[in-house]
Amino acid sequence: MKVRVERDLLVESVAWVGKSLPSRPNVPILAGLLMEASEGELTLSGFDYETSHRVTLPAQVADPGRCLVSGRLVADIVKSLPHQAIDFSVDGAKALLTCGTARFTLQTLPVDEYPELPAQPPTSGALRSDVFAQAVAQVAGSASRDDTMPTFTGVSMEIEGSTITLLATDRYRLAIRELEWDPATPPAPPATAPAPTSAPAPLAATILIPARVLSDTAKAMTGSTLTLSLDREAAGGDGLAGFSGEVSGGCRWTTTRLLDGSFPKVRNLMPAADAIQTRVRVGTATLVEAVKRVALVAERNAPIRITFSEEGATLDAGSGEEAQASESIEARLIGEPVTVGFNPTYLLDGLHAIGTPVAQLAFTHPTKPAELTGATDLEEDPLTNFRYILMPVRLHNN
C-alpha cells in the first residue's frame, strides 16, 4: 500500500472517524483505524460495535492495499504535521508516514482480526443537511447524559410522511423540533457507498438514536443533501440507522445501533393552547444577558425568580444574608401576571436554542411546564416548528 493525500483533508477525515474509536476499548483491535487505498481514493473506517464511521477522500494511489494502525496515534501525528502532502506506505508489519522532512514509523495491527463493518441500511429518504444540523443542535442538548437511564440519552425521531419530529428530554426540559424531508425521491448514493442489503424501510417509523452520535453526525455532514437510511430489523433486533452525505473533499457514512426501549410519552407536558393563562414576549438577547447576570449570585442548582407583570419582567436571585441580585427588563404581558422559578442553565439553553430575536413564554400555572418558542419580532406570531418545554422550580413561597 502506497498513497499520497492532502494534509488538511486527512486531518479532518481522521478526526471524524476517530469519533467512533473507543478511548479504552475492551477489544484492543477496535482502537485501530482501517485504511483502504484503491484507485484514486483512500477510505478510512472506525467501528466500536455500536457506531461506525467511514469517509472516502481523493488520493494519489501508487499501490492499492489496506492496513490497520492506531487511530489515536495517527490523529495526533497528522494534526502536528506541516501543511504539505502526506505520504503513507506499508512494508510488512510497519507503516511509514512522511510529510516534508518529518518521518514516522508505526506498528500495524492485524487487519484480518478487525470486525466487518455493518452495511449501510436501505435508503429511506433525504433532507437538507443544514436544516437537519440546526434541528439536531436545538434538540440534542436536552437529552440526558446519565448513562444509567439510556432511554433518556437518545433523541426520538418520529417519521410520518414528509415530516420528521425530533424529541429529547432529561426529565427537566423537553425539546421538540419538526422539519420536512423527502421520503419519496432520495438521491442515488455515492458510487463508493456500501450496497444496501434489503428493501427500502417503511416511511412511517419511530426510532431512538443516541444523542451524541446524532449530534456529531449532523455537525460533520454539512453538504447540500443528507441521506437517511433505516433498517429496524438489523443489528440484533434493536435496529440500525445510517446517514450519508457528500462533504468538501469526499463522502462520509455512519451507522449506529438504535437504543432499546420506548421513549417516554412526553407530549402531554406541552401546554394546551386553550389552557394558557399568560403569554410573555421579550427580546431574546435582553433576557439572556439578564439571566446570566442575576444567576451569578445563585447557588448551585438554585432557581432564579422571574416576575412577569404589566411593568415588564423582574429577575431575582439569592436570599437571606447571601449575595442577592435583581434586574428589570422590558417585556410584553398578555394575560395574567405570573411569578415563576427556573433553573438558569436550562432556561439559557432554551433561549439559545430558539435562535430568534424574540422569545415567547407561555404559562398555564406557575408550577406547570412552561412553553418557550421563538418569533422574528414582537408583532409576529411565534414559530411553531421548535418548542422548548421547561419544568419550573417550585419557589419557597408558592
Side-chain angles (χ1 to χ4, degrees):
M1 175 178 171
K2 188 174 183 181
V3 61
R4 169 172 286 190
V5 63
E6 195 269 319
R7 181 261 183 196
D8 290 346
L9 275 180
L10 185 61
V11 169
E12 188 176 330
S13 299
V14 170
W16 156 245
V17 174
K19 292 182 180 295
S20 63
L21 301 180
S23 56
R24 296 179 180 178
N26 294 326
V27 182
I29 201 73
L30 295 181
L33 173 72
L34 181 62
M35 306 180 70
E36 300 172 282
S38 57
E39 185 176 353
E41 64 183 25
L42 175 66
T43 300
L44 309 176
S45 305
F47 186 38
D48 65 357
Y49 286 120
E50 298 292 331
T51 303
S52 73
H53 285 339
R54 184 178 305 177
V55 59
T56 297
L57 58 155
Q60 300 177 30
V61 179
D63 186 11
R66 63 201 302 256
C67 73
L68 189 67
V69 291
S70 169
R72 302 289 177 184
L73 182 56
V74 170
D76 290 341
I77 289 173
V78 296
K79 283 192 299 185
S80 71
L81 294 175
H83 293 270
Q84 300 180 34
I86 295 175
D87 291 301
F88 190 90
S89 60
V90 177
D91 184 7
K94 299 289 184 179
L96 178 64
L97 192 154
T98 305
C99 181
T101 59
R103 295 168 58 89
F104 294 85
T105 301
L106 311 178
Q107 185 72 37
T108 62
L109 303 173
V111 68
D112 292 340
E113 296 180 12
Y114 196 72
E116 182 179 356
L117 273 71
Q120 194 78 0
T123 297
S124 299
L127 62 164
R128 284 178 49 184
S129 60
D130 57 340
V131 173
F132 186 68
Q134 181 197 43
V136 171
Q138 288 178 306
V139 170
S142 294
S144 175
R145 294 168 179 79
D146 185 355
D147 291 333
T148 63
M149 301 184 298
T151 299
F152 289 93
T153 65
V155 173
S156 176
M157 179 181 291
E158 299 177 355
I159 303 172
E160 185 66 40
S162 61
T163 301
I164 293 178
T165 303
L166 305 177
L167 303 94
T169 183
D170 59 4
R171 299 180 301 164
Y172 304 105
R173 66 273 183 73
L174 165 67
I176 305 173
R177 170 64 195 267
E178 293 183 353
L179 64 155
E180 296 300 310
W181 78 312
D182 185 359
T185 55
T192 51
T197 57
S198 58
L203 299 180
T206 298
I207 60 177
L208 190 57
I209 302 177
R212 178 187 58 80
V213 176
L214 192 64
S215 182
D216 288 343
T217 300
K219 291 176 184 177
M221 296 188 182
T222 54
S224 60
T225 302
L226 180 70
T227 299
L228 171 62
S229 305
L230 297 177
D231 185 353
R232 303 184 68 195
E233 303 301 324
D238 57 352
L240 195 70
F243 299 89
S244 59
E246 296 189 15
V247 297
S248 177
C251 301
R252 292 179 180 177
W253 301 268
T254 189
T255 64
T256 184
R257 286 180 183 266
L258 303 178
L259 292 173
D260 198 11
S262 299
F263 194 72
K265 296 181 179 180
V266 294
R267 290 184 179 272
N268 59 350
L269 295 176
M270 299 173 61
D274 57 359
I276 292 175
Q277 302 295 316
T278 304
R279 290 182 173 87
V280 179
R281 292 284 186 91
V282 61
T284 305
T286 300
L287 183 55
V288 165
E289 294 305 315
V291 171
K292 286 181 178 178
R293 284 189 289 266
V294 171
L296 291 174
V297 303
E299 296 181 1
R300 181 179 176 84
N301 297 324
I304 62 171
R305 177 197 305 264
I306 308 180
T307 299
F308 296 105
S309 66
E310 295 288 350
E311 288 73 35
T314 301
L315 294 76
D316 295 282
S319 61
E321 298 180 356
E322 303 295 332
Q324 300 179 45
S326 179
E327 183 170 348
S328 296
I329 60 175
E330 292 184 1
R332 177 183 295 181
L333 177 72
I334 304 172
E336 299 296 322
V338 63
T339 298
V340 65
F342 284 130
N343 177 303
T345 299
Y346 295 162
L347 176 57
L348 287 172
D349 286 348
L351 292 170
H352 289 307
I354 59 174
T356 55
V358 174
Q360 174 175 282
L361 285 155
F363 303 91
T364 60
H365 188 273
T367 61
K368 300 294 184 181
E371 181 183 80
L372 174 62
T373 51
T376 55
D377 59 51
L378 289 171
E379 306 302 327
E380 294 291 332
D381 290 336
L383 305 174
T384 58
N385 62 350
F386 175 66
R387 298 179 179 183
Y388 186 82
I389 312 302
L390 182 59
M391 295 296 297
V393 181
R394 188 178 295 274
L395 298 171
H396 292 302
N397 61 350
N398 277 2

